[in-house]
Amino acid sequence: MKKSKFSHEFRPIHSPKDGALLSIEAYAGRIHGRKMRRRFKLSVYGDERWVRKAAETWIREVREQQFDNQQTFTEAFKLIEPYKLNLFDVVRQYMANVEKYKLAEPWTFRQAANAVLDFKQANKKSAHYLRGLKGYLSTISLALGERICDDIKVEHLEEFLRSMLSF
């Protein structure tokens, strides 16, 4: 009897037409009663060696994540143990505070520029001033429009200004 080169963690998936190997299904155990399975297609990875390596890496990452989660859970219980608190009550209270003090989603540069224009218009700035400001903000929005404001650095603005001066 020929011994299979696949362990219980891997299951080959063959073509029903010609029996060629199509993919490998990796099994990383159960987490909360749910089977952790994933298929790795030969067509994506090129050959069986790379498929197996990708599957092994995925299994290791899932198991490490599960171990990290168990450690986190244990540490959380140790933190609240002296206070005789229930973990679910602590999480429930935390979530109530998160909702209460929830921060707004970060703005893109274009959203911030539009907010500035709205603010200036609401403060009765002249049409001439607003046209000029809109022109400047529209131009810079072409370069930075979809970037998150928190990610924009002075270097990005300097690069934009250099590109404008080179015209």
Side-chain angles (χ1 to χ4, degrees):
M1 180 176 192
K2 183 179 172 186
K3 186 177 177 187
S4 171
K5 56 184 169 179
F6 294 96
S7 69
H8 66 280
E9 295 174 327
F10 303 104
R11 183 173 71 103
I13 308 296
H14 295 281
S15 168
K17 292 181 183 175
D18 61 7
L21 182 67
L22 296 176
S23 62
I24 293 176
E25 184 176 79
Y27 175 68
R30 290 179 179 265
I31 296 179
H32 304 295
R34 201 175 116 230
K35 286 183 181 180
M36 298 304 295
R37 291 186 295 199
R38 182 172 167 199
R39 285 193 181 177
F40 296 86
K41 294 181 179 180
L42 198 64
S43 63
V44 172
Y45 294 94
D47 73 24
E48 186 179 328
R49 186 182 69 217
W50 291 108
V51 171
R52 182 178 269 289
K53 191 164 280 303
E56 289 170 350
T57 301
W58 177 78
I59 288 173
R60 186 175 54 253
E61 287 172 355
V62 168
R63 289 183 178 160
E64 286 172 0
Q65 181 66 40
Q66 183 180 14
F67 180 74
D68 290 346
N69 288 345
Q70 289 171 345
Q71 277 189 312
T72 301
F73 197 69
T74 302
E75 288 175 23
F77 271 115
K78 286 179 184 175
L79 283 172
I80 65 172
E81 187 178 34
Y83 304 101
K84 306 288 187 226
L85 296 170
N86 178 316
L87 183 60
F88 294 109
D89 291 338
V90 171
V91 171
R92 197 174 293 117
Q93 183 64 39
Y94 174 80
M95 294 308 296
N97 285 332
V98 165
E99 289 301 315
K100 190 179 192 179
Y101 302 109
K102 189 173 186 176
L103 297 175
E105 291 292 318
W107 280 7
T108 63
F109 184 86
R110 189 176 318 281
Q111 290 171 320
N114 290 336
V116 167
L117 286 170
D118 292 344
F119 176 78
K120 295 292 186 179
Q121 192 171 20
N123 284 304
K124 309 285 189 229
K125 294 298 179 183
S126 71
H128 176 73
Y129 173 82
L130 290 171
R131 267 193 311 277
L133 183 60
K134 184 176 184 178
Y136 292 126
L137 292 174
S138 295
T139 303
I140 197 167
S141 287
L142 293 173
L144 302 173
E146 301 312 312
R147 281 193 160 167
I148 302 296
C149 287
D150 292 345
D151 297 339
I152 298 173
K153 305 218 179 325
V154 171
E155 294 83 26
H156 299 128
L157 297 170
E158 289 172 345
E159 180 182 322
F160 169 76
L161 291 172
R162 272 194 303 277
S163 70
M164 291 305 294
L165 294 174
S166 64
F167 277 106

